[in-house]
C-alpha cells in the first residue's frame, strides 16, 4: 500500500521488459478525501488471481474485503504493469514513504494511497500522499475499480 506526493503518470513497461513475477500480489488502500478513481476503497489481488474489493474508508479492524471475482491471466499482467509504474518496488529510488504492512491512514487525513506490492521475492508497503488524478496510483486504482465492476 503506497502513495507519493505528485506521483506523475508513467507508461507501462514494454512487454517482456518487466514481466509479471509468478509471486505477484497487491493491496491498494485509498483513503481520505480523494475523488473519482481515488475515492476511499480497498483492493486486494492475490497470486491466485482472486480480486477482493471493499468501498469506503478502511480501519485497522476492517476485515479482508470479500472476493469479487477471479481475473484472467491477462488482467493481472495489466495490473502488474500499472503497479510497476508507481515505482513502489524500485530498489534505487522507491516512491512514497515506507510504512508497515498493516498501516492504515488516520480518519480525516488527506487523500492517501497505500500500496503493498510483492513480486520477484520483494515485498514493499509504501504510502503516497495526495496522489494526483493523473498519477500512476490513480491509473492503478482505475484499473482495479474496473476489474471489480465498481465505477
Amino acid at each position: 500500500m503506497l502513495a507519493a506526493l505528485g506521483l506523475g503518470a508513467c507508461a507501462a513497461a514494454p512487454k517482456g521488459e518487466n514481466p509479471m513475477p509468478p509471486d505477484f500480489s497487491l493491496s491498494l488502500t485509498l483513503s481520505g478525501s480523494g475523488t473519482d478513481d481515488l475515492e476511499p476503497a480497498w483492493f486486494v489481488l492475490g497470486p491466485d488471481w482472486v480480486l477482493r474489493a471493499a468501498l469506503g474508508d478502511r480501519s485497522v479492524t476492517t476485515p479482508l474485503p470479500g472476493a469479487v471475482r477471479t481475473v484472467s491471466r491477462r488482467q493481472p499482467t495489466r495490473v502488474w504493469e500499472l503497479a510497476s509504474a508507481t515505482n513502489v518496488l524500485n530498489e534505487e529510488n522507491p516512491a512514497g514513504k515506507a510504512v508497515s504492512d498493516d498501516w492504515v491512514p488516520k480518519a480525516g487525513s488527506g487523500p492517501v494511497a497505500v500500496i503493498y506490492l510483492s513480486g520477484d521475492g520483494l515485498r514493499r508497503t509504501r504510502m503516497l500522499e495526495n496522489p494526483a488524478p493523473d498519477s500512476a496510483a490513480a491509473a492503478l486504482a482505475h484499473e482495479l475499480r474496473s476489474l471489480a465492476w465498481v465505477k
Side-chain angles (χ1 to χ4, degrees), residues 90-105:
N90 182 321
E91 296 219 48
E92 288 95 39
N93 189 22
K97 175 184 172 188
V99 292
S100 66
D101 290 348
D102 61 350
W103 187 85
V104 175

Side-chain angles (χ1 to χ4, degrees), residues 1-60:
M1 311 200 188
L2 303 155
L5 257 170
L7 182 65
C10 300
K15 288 193 182 297
E17 185 178 307
N18 186 17
M20 182 180 66
D23 60 342
F24 168 60
S25 63
L26 161 141
S27 173
L28 173 66
T29 299
L30 303 161
S31 46
S33 56
T35 58
D36 299 321
D37 288 327
L38 296 170
E39 287 180 4
W42 184 18
F43 302 95
V44 177
L45 179 62
D48 59 357
W49 310 137
V50 172
L51 176 62
R52 299 171 174 278
L55 302 180
D57 279 313
R58 179 181 168 204
S59 73
V60 293

Side-chain angles (χ1 to χ4, degrees), residues 12 16 22 24 37 44 50 56 66-67 71 96 103-105 108-109 113-114 116 118 122 127 131 136 142 145 147:
F24 168 60
D37 288 327
V44 177
V50 172
V71 297
W103 187 85
V104 175
S109 66
V114 180
Y116 165 87
S118 172
L122 298 173
M127 184 259 307
H142 178 82
R145 282 182 185 282
L147 289 174

Side-chain angles (χ1 to χ4, degrees), residues 69-87:
R69 65 182 286 203
T70 301
V71 297
S72 72
R73 174 73 179 174
R74 180 179 48 86
Q75 292 164 325
T77 299
R78 176 71 180 141
V79 173
W80 166 252
E81 291 168 353
L82 292 167
S84 294
T86 66
N87 285 320

Side-chain angles (χ1 to χ4, degrees), residues 93-150:
N93 189 22
K97 175 184 172 188
V99 292
S100 66
D101 290 348
D102 61 350
W103 187 85
V104 175
K106 292 183 176 133
S109 66
V112 170
V114 180
I115 302 172
Y116 165 87
L117 281 178
S118 172
D120 286 332
L122 298 173
R123 261 184 20 175
R124 190 165 288 140
T125 303
R126 309 287 290 184
M127 184 259 307
L128 305 167
E129 298 175 293
N130 300 310
D134 64 345
S135 68
L140 175 60
H142 178 82
E143 182 71 10
L144 290 168
R145 282 182 185 282
S146 294
L147 289 174
W149 302 309
V150 175

